Amino acid sequence: MLTDLIYGDDFFEKILIVESREYISILAERFPDAEIFFVTTDEDFFDERAKIFVMDYREERLPFDEEFFDLIIGELTLEVVVNPQDIAAGFSRYIKQTGIFLTSFKNIRHWKILEKLMGGWFNGIVSRFYTRTNFERLMLASFYKDVKFSPVIKKAPPKLLEKLIECGFENFGDDLEVEIWQVRAARSIPELSLLKSMYTADFRAEFARIIHRVEYDIEIADSVKNFWRLYDEVGMFTDYAAEFINEIVIHKENFYKNLRDHSNRSETEKIIAEIENL
């Protein structure tokens, strides 16, 4: 199940479940203090453990604020959609910077699908099928930064597997026997996610603005002064600062040159060196 991709240190206050009703009881038990929201097209469905929204997520805008959820979860959510990137990117808008999207997709390279194609029969006309590579690209293009996969295996008959390989189907990572790929897509890389959880969105926005001013030579002396002011205000660690800078700065050489040239404190050179080398 997708809950296998929830880590021990994950903490969710607000959860959105998309059509996959079996997760209501599982998540309600695992996160008893969380608010659970459920989106479904079934007008008759009710569960007191969740706030029910009757709507079609594929056609209607979700009635929530941006960056509202810690977790959005649903099986095969991008399988029967017109534009999967629109849906995936749309979900990402509702996920906090520290949040995740858990979903799954059918692997078009699975031996059962290839066997049907070899027999001239395929019933996936109304569904979208993906390879792992295709789906990873889709997630990255939809503003997710860290994508992990977990396979659901259904073993192939040995002779059929051998025949597929002889026909030129590479079985890298036993991919031909992966029926379903489960996916954990995070809005931020783990290191930056920790940083975002420690500091407010307003602080991160201001810190990013100042960093870009240093990077692009805008009132450099004042910008560098404000960089150190913010750095000291929160007692920032060098490894967190490095992750933040690496995430947003394009012209790193110019950024660090400006930071060195306009820093007036003797102790900053050591800090700059530590940040730059992380």
Side-chain angles (χ1 to χ4, degrees), residues 220-233:
I220 302 176
D222 284 342
S223 296
V224 170
K225 181 179 178 180
N226 283 324
F227 174 91
W228 291 116
R229 175 181 60 80
L230 292 174
Y231 184 94
D232 290 339
E233 274 183 9

Side-chain angles (χ1 to χ4, degrees), residues 78-203:
L78 303 181
E79 184 176 284
V80 188
V81 294
V82 176
N83 190 326
Q85 187 171 343
D86 281 354
I87 303 300
F91 281 157
S92 73
R93 294 174 54 192
Y94 298 104
I95 298 172
K96 296 177 183 177
Q97 292 291 322
T98 54
I100 60 172
F101 174 36
L102 297 181
T103 191
S104 58
F105 64 93
K106 295 175 184 174
N107 179 23
I108 197 171
R109 299 187 78 252
H110 187 243
W111 64 268
K112 289 185 70 175
I113 295 176
L114 298 178
E115 183 182 37
K116 290 176 181 178
L117 286 170
M118 291 167 66
W121 181 65
F122 183 61
N123 64 347
I125 303 302
V126 297
S127 300
R128 289 185 178 274
F129 287 81
Y130 305 89
T131 65
R132 172 174 171 164
T133 300
N134 292 148
F135 203 88
E136 182 172 29
R137 288 173 179 164
L138 171 61
M139 291 291 97
L140 294 175
S142 303
F143 313 113
Y144 300 93
K145 299 293 179 61
D146 186 56
V147 184
K148 292 182 171 61
F149 296 86
S150 176
V152 176
I153 302 291
K154 187 163 187 178
K155 289 288 187 179
K159 289 185 179 179
L160 176 59
L161 184 61
E162 183 179 334
K163 182 178 180 181
L164 289 172
I165 294 172
E166 288 177 354
C167 289
F169 290 96
E170 293 184 38
N171 192 26
F172 46 85
D174 295 326
D175 188 61
L176 295 178
E177 296 185 295
V178 178
E179 184 174 26
I180 300 286
W181 280 110
Q182 297 183 136
V183 185
R184 175 185 168 113
R187 284 291 308 276
S188 303
I189 59 176
E191 296 84 355
L192 196 59
S193 180
L194 178 59
L195 173 63
K196 289 175 178 178
S197 70
M198 294 178 65
Y199 306 119
T200 67
D202 288 343
F203 172 83

